[in-house]
Each structure stands twice: as C-alpha cells, then as structure tokens.
Amino acid sequence: MSTLTGPAILPILLLCASNIFMTLAWYGHLKFTSQPLWIVIFASWGIAFVEYCFAVPANRYGYGVYSAAELKTIQEVITLTVFAAFSVIYLKEALTWNHLIGFAFIAIGAGFIFKGPIGAGH
C-alpha cells in the first residue's frame, strides 16, 4: 500500500469525503428554502447515503489503526473544518473570532484524546 493510501491515511481521506457529503446533506438545502421540506428531506437522505458509503469503510479500515475514540475525534475535527469552509464559501457566512476560539478549544480536546491516559507510564 502506498503512503498516500496507507492504513493510517486511508480512513482520514475517506472521512474527509464522508464529511463533505454529510455537510451538503445537512446544510446544502438552506439555499433552497422555496422547495418543499419533503423534497429536501429526500434529497438530503440520498446525499447522506453517499456519505455512509465513505464513512462505514473509513471506520472499518481505521479501526485497529485508531481506537474508536480516536476515529470519532478525527471525524469531528474534519467535520468542523469542512463545515467552517462550507459556511464561508457556500453559505457566505462570516467566520468570527468566537467560532475560531470555540474550534480551537475543540482541537485542544482532540489533542487530549490522542495523548493517551494522563499519567500513564509515569
């Protein structure tokens, strides 16, 4: 397996693709408020199916390389990154200092997940 698709990288790439589709499914319809809700629900459901086609293999391939908690943490950090870009580029919303500080605190929390048990081995 090449470095770009190695066991540690492949789940991250799949989670990136997954999160792009999920962000579209959850928030893409916000620009189509004139469409009936049932139509956007079914459209979002179809997009979410594609998201699952990336998320399930990401977790299947990633588990063992990463713990379940680490996979979830990777997914959440990717979600915030994709959402921040999506909200600025697609929804044309401002990314404020409040958002950046909040995301930074979440990133700090993610760092603790990957650090391992505090005090272990000391």
Side-chain angles (χ1 to χ4, degrees):
M1 213 176 245
S2 76
T3 306
L4 190 57
T5 58
I9 300 299
L10 182 60
I12 294 170
L13 295 175
L14 290 169
L15 286 172
C16 286
S18 164
N19 275 279
I20 290 168
F21 282 99
M22 200 61 191
T23 300
L24 283 171
W26 284 12
Y27 302 102
H29 64 87
L30 296 177
K31 284 201 164 187
F32 301 98
T33 56
S34 64
Q35 295 298 319
L37 187 57
W38 70 270
I39 289 176
V40 297
I41 289 171
F42 280 105
S44 293
W45 188 54
I47 296 168
F49 172 76
V50 177
E51 181 268 340
Y52 272 73
C53 290
F54 288 105
V56 171
N59 288 305
R60 173 73 60 96
Y61 298 143
Y63 190 64
V65 175
Y66 301 105
S67 70
E70 288 171 336
L71 281 168
K72 182 60 179 170
T73 302
I74 293 166
Q75 185 269 327
E76 292 298 337
V77 169
I78 292 169
T79 296
L80 286 175
T81 304
V82 168
F83 178 78
F86 180 85
S87 66
V88 169
I89 295 167
Y90 182 78
L91 296 176
K92 308 291 187 214
E93 292 185 355
L95 195 58
T96 68
W97 280 108
N98 294 27
H99 298 127
L100 294 174
I101 292 168
F103 292 164
F105 279 121
I106 292 169
I108 291 167
F112 279 102
I113 297 293
F114 283 91
K115 171 112 177 79
I118 295 176
H122 294 131

